[in-house]
């Protein structure tokens, strides 16, 4: 669809959606009234910026049903966030909302080369987390043969992957890396499995990690993005170009704002992603602030899709650590580790000792380097520490630990332990 036609469709949906929310969600009506904006002021998608923002704090305040815009009896499902950054929030769906979400996931599967001839192994967690049911529904919509594995039980994952000849794998990137490692440990080579592609998301991962997973599984690895508040995964996904994720703009209007001032930024500038659900019925959030930091581009994509593309989230604003006054994203450390030949299995510990911040990075020695002498290990720790210092501008203490001693993740990896929060 040409860009103008998308805008026209968004206008039509937004005008209706604002009226729907104003009439049925008293909490948002109050916010609009306070801002002095009424549904009549929203005549086109260009008026989006007049609406008040919503954030996770609003969802916590209105928990559980304060955002409900339809009778509860019209809802058919509840899902919840993973609670990565605090108390979980919930989302509710009508059947129409579920269909819309699954349609978005189906697009992601097709964009990664999936069809009814594929065997899609879904090992995102099933249950309240949106990863499992989202990709599961998308796979059904495509007509692929769906393996609802959920996460965990890696032996069984591998058995079914090989016996049933799974061709596509859907899970978090950290679990994909773990499955790759487990296949190798069992003596499989990358070309021994039948997988051709993987659709990985729900947590930040670097380009270096993508290459690592692609190598270990012998596949092409695609990124997928979403959040419970907008439905779940599938809000945006990579196409064959793998140069940013196309946002499903017919369902979600997107803005990038300055996180400090709330001002809408021009295309190409880095800022916080804000989504407006244009046609969800039960939980239709308008101008929801994601706290994910991104850049948008409307440059023509060679794949032919006209939907705007978002960069990989450069990090959640609340993932960022401030260590000795320096901004540090865990992804920067991941990049260095992989470039230095280590696996993306690590733990970052931050603490405060004598009023000064400390940064400890725990990394596993690859099995083939485990036989090193103590002095050999110390010099490797120093080398890695130097590379991290060059990237961040502050010195870490690197601890090389024996293989398989850092806990593997089957869902979203927890890699940062900030002990300063425990003291405050
Ligand atoms: P929680 O906010 O508790 O983690 P969700 O399970 O809804 O709850 O996760 C949504 C968040 O996960 C997004 O806001 C984003 O920070 C992160 N996320 C999802 N997909 C990706 C991705 N492909 N790359 C980086 N981060 C992602
Ligand atoms: Zn494209």
């Amino acid at each position: 669809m040409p860009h103008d036609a998308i805008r026209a469709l968004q206008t039509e949906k937004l005008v209706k959606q604002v009226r729907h929310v104003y009439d049925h969600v008293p909490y948002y009506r109050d916010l609009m009234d306070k801002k002095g904006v009424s549904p009549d002021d929203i005549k086109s998608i260009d008026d989006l910026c007049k609406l008040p923002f919503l954030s996770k704090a609003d969802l916590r305040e209105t928990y559980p049903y304060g955002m409900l815009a339809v009778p509860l009896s019209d809802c058919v499902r509840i899902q919840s966030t993973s609670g990565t950054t605090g108390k979980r929030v919930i989302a509710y769906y009508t059947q129409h909302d579920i269909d819309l979400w699954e349609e978005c996931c189906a697009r992601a599967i097709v964009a990664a080369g999936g069809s009814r001839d594929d065997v899609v192994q879904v090992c995102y967690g099933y249950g309240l987390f949106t990863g499992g049911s989202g990709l599961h529904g998308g796979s059904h919509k495509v007509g692929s043969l769906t393996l609802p594995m959920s996460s965990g039980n890696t032996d069984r994952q591998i058995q079914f992957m090989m016996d049933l000849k799974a061709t596509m794998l859907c899970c978090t990137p950290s679990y994909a890396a773990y499955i790759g490692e487990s296949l190798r440990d069992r003596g499989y080579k990358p070309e021994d499995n039948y997988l051709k592609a993987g659709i990985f998301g729900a947590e930040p991962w670097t380009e270096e990690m993508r290459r690592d997973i692609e190598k270990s599984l012998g596949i092409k690895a695609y990124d997928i993005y979403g959040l419970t508040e907008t439905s779940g995964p599938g809000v945006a996904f990579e196409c064959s170009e793998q140069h940013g994720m196309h946002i499903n703009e017919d369902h979600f209007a997107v803005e990038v704002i300055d996180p400090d001032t709330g001002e809408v930024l021009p295309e190409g500038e880095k800022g916080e992603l804000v989504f407006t659900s244009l046609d969800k019925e039960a939980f239709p959030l308008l101008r929801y602030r994601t706290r994910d930091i991104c850049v948008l581009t409307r440059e023509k994509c060679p794949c032919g899709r006209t939907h705007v593309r978002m960069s990989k989230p450069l990090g959640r604003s609340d993932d960022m650590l401030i260590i000795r006054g320096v901004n540090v994203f865990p992804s920067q450390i991941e990049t260095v580790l992989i470039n230095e030949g280590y696996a993306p299995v690590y733990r970052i510990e931050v603490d405060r000792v004598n009023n000064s911040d400390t940064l400890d990075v725990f990394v596993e020695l690859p099995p083939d380097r485990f036989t090193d002498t103590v002095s050999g290990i110390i010099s490797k720790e120093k080398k890695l520490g130097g590379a991290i210092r060059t990237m961040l501008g502050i010195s870490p203490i690197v601890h090389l630990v024996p293989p398989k001693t850092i806990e593997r993740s089957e869902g979203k990896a927890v890699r940062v332990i900030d002990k300063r929060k425990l003291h405050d």
Side-chain angles (χ1 to χ4, degrees), residues 232-243:
V235 170
F237 58 82
E238 273 182 341
C239 63
S240 51
E241 297 301 313
Q242 300 200 311
H243 198 62

PDB file of all heavy atoms in Angstrom, residues 232-243:
ATOM      1  N   GLY A 232       1.354  -8.279  21.637  1.00  0.00           N
ATOM      2  CA  GLY A 232       2.409  -9.255  21.875  1.00  0.00           C
ATOM      3  C   GLY A 232       3.368  -9.179  20.714  1.00  0.00           C
ATOM      4  O   GLY A 232       3.421  -8.153  20.022  1.00  0.00           O
ATOM      5  N   PRO A 233       4.124 -10.252  20.440  1.00  0.00           N
ATOM      6  CA  PRO A 233       5.068 -10.202  19.329  1.00  0.00           C
ATOM      7  C   PRO A 233       4.339  -9.974  18.006  1.00  0.00           C
ATOM      8  O   PRO A 233       3.151 -10.272  17.904  1.00  0.00           O
ATOM      9  CB  PRO A 233       5.716 -11.598  19.339  1.00  0.00           C
ATOM     10  CG  PRO A 233       4.747 -12.473  20.064  1.00  0.00           C
ATOM     11  CD  PRO A 233       4.086 -11.590  21.071  1.00  0.00           C
ATOM     12  N   GLY A 234       5.034  -9.429  17.023  1.00  0.00           N
ATOM     13  CA  GLY A 234       4.427  -9.268  15.706  1.00  0.00           C
ATOM     14  C   GLY A 234       4.075  -7.829  15.375  1.00  0.00           C
ATOM     15  O   GLY A 234       3.660  -7.544  14.261  1.00  0.00           O
ATOM     16  N   VAL A 235       4.264  -6.917  16.318  1.00  0.00           N
ATOM     17  CA  VAL A 235       4.039  -5.507  15.995  1.00  0.00           C
ATOM     18  C   VAL A 235       4.978  -5.113  14.852  1.00  0.00           C
ATOM     19  O   VAL A 235       4.605  -4.371  13.955  1.00  0.00           O
ATOM     20  CB  VAL A 235       4.296  -4.625  17.236  1.00  0.00           C
ATOM     21  CG1 VAL A 235       4.307  -3.154  16.878  1.00  0.00           C
ATOM     22  CG2 VAL A 235       3.254  -4.914  18.301  1.00  0.00           C
ATOM     23  N   ALA A 236       6.180  -5.662  14.885  1.00  0.00           N
ATOM     24  CA  ALA A 236       7.157  -5.400  13.817  1.00  0.00           C
ATOM     25  C   ALA A 236       7.990  -6.649  13.601  1.00  0.00           C
ATOM     26  O   ALA A 236       8.184  -7.440  14.529  1.00  0.00           O
ATOM     27  CB  ALA A 236       8.057  -4.234  14.209  1.00  0.00           C
ATOM     28  N   PHE A 237       8.466  -6.823  12.369  1.00  0.00           N
ATOM     29  CA  PHE A 237       9.221  -8.040  12.045  1.00  0.00           C
ATOM     30  C   PHE A 237      10.166  -7.753  10.891  1.00  0.00           C
ATOM     31  O   PHE A 237       9.936  -6.839  10.101  1.00  0.00           O
ATOM     32  CB  PHE A 237       8.254  -9.175  11.662  1.00  0.00           C
ATOM     33  CG  PHE A 237       7.369  -8.817  10.503  1.00  0.00           C
ATOM     34  CD1 PHE A 237       7.833  -8.926   9.193  1.00  0.00           C
ATOM     35  CD2 PHE A 237       6.091  -8.328  10.706  1.00  0.00           C
ATOM     36  CE1 PHE A 237       7.029  -8.564   8.120  1.00  0.00           C
ATOM     37  CE2 PHE A 237       5.283  -7.954   9.635  1.00  0.00           C
ATOM     38  CZ  PHE A 237       5.758  -8.067   8.341  1.00  0.00           C
ATOM     39  N   GLU A 238      11.195  -8.577  10.779  1.00  0.00           N
ATOM     40  CA  GLU A 238      12.147  -8.403   9.689  1.00  0.00           C
ATOM     41  C   GLU A 238      11.683  -9.104   8.414  1.00  0.00           C
ATOM     42  O   GLU A 238      11.098 -10.180   8.468  1.00  0.00           O
ATOM     43  CB  GLU A 238      13.505  -8.997  10.083  1.00  0.00           C
ATOM     44  CG  GLU A 238      14.369  -8.009  10.813  1.00  0.00           C
ATOM     45  CD  GLU A 238      15.729  -8.577  11.151  1.00  0.00           C
ATOM     46  OE1 GLU A 238      15.902  -9.811  11.162  1.00  0.00           O
ATOM     47  OE2 GLU A 238      16.622  -7.776  11.426  1.00  0.00           O
ATOM     48  N   CYS A 239      12.024  -8.496   7.288  1.00  0.00           N
ATOM     49  CA  CYS A 239      11.792  -9.116   5.987  1.00  0.00           C
ATOM     50  C   CYS A 239      13.119  -9.712   5.521  1.00  0.00           C
ATOM     51  O   CYS A 239      14.107  -9.696   6.253  1.00  0.00           O
ATOM     52  CB  CYS A 239      11.323  -8.055   4.999  1.00  0.00           C
ATOM     53  SG  CYS A 239      12.560  -6.771   4.721  1.00  0.00           S
ATOM     54  N   SER A 240      13.155 -10.184   4.279  1.00  0.00           N
ATOM     55  CA  SER A 240      14.370 -10.837   3.782  1.00  0.00           C
ATOM     56  C   SER A 240      15.576  -9.893   3.759  1.00  0.00           C
ATOM     57  O   SER A 240      16.721 -10.341   3.766  1.00  0.00           O
ATOM     58  CB  SER A 240      14.105 -11.367   2.376  1.00  0.00           C
ATOM     59  OG  SER A 240      13.567 -10.321   1.586  1.00  0.00           O
ATOM     60  N   GLU A 241      15.334  -8.589   3.733  1.00  0.00           N
ATOM     61  CA  GLU A 241      16.450  -7.630   3.705  1.00  0.00           C
ATOM     62  C   GLU A 241      17.178  -7.568   5.038  1.00  0.00           C
ATOM     63  O   GLU A 241      18.334  -7.163   5.109  1.00  0.00           O
ATOM     64  CB  GLU A 241      15.948  -6.228   3.348  1.00  0.00           C
ATOM     65  CG  GLU A 241      15.329  -6.127   1.966  1.00  0.00           C
ATOM     66  CD  GLU A 241      16.305  -6.532   0.878  1.00  0.00           C
ATOM     67  OE1 GLU A 241      17.458  -6.062   0.924  1.00  0.00           O
ATOM     68  OE2 GLU A 241      15.913  -7.323   0.002  1.00  0.00           O
ATOM     69  N   GLN A 242      16.451  -7.869   6.113  1.00  0.00           N
ATOM     70  CA  GLN A 242      17.008  -7.815   7.470  1.00  0.00           C
ATOM     71  C   GLN A 242      17.699  -6.487   7.743  1.00  0.00           C
ATOM     72  O   GLN A 242      18.818  -6.439   8.252  1.00  0.00           O
ATOM     73  CB  GLN A 242      17.978  -8.965   7.701  1.00  0.00           C
ATOM     74  CG  GLN A 242      17.279 -10.309   7.527  1.00  0.00           C
ATOM     75  CD  GLN A 242      18.010 -11.431   8.185  1.00  0.00           C
ATOM     76  OE1 GLN A 242      19.207 -11.568   7.993  1.00  0.00           O
ATOM     77  NE2 GLN A 242      17.310 -12.247   8.948  1.00  0.00           N
ATOM     78  N   HIS A 243      16.992  -5.443   7.389  1.00  0.00           N
ATOM     79  CA  HIS A 243      17.556  -4.117   7.620  1.00  0.00           C
ATOM     80  C   HIS A 243      16.484  -3.287   8.311  1.00  0.00           C
ATOM     81  O   HIS A 243      15.850  -2.428   7.715  1.00  0.00           O
ATOM     82  CB  HIS A 243      17.972  -3.507   6.278  1.00  0.00           C
ATOM     83  CG  HIS A 243      18.936  -2.379   6.432  1.00  0.00           C
ATOM     84  ND1 HIS A 243      20.181  -2.541   6.985  1.00  0.00           N
ATOM     85  CD2 HIS A 243      18.833  -1.069   6.136  1.00  0.00           C
ATOM     86  CE1 HIS A 243      20.797  -1.388   7.014  1.00  0.00           C
ATOM     87  NE2 HIS A 243      20.008  -0.475   6.510  1.00  0.00           N
TER      88      HIS A 243
END
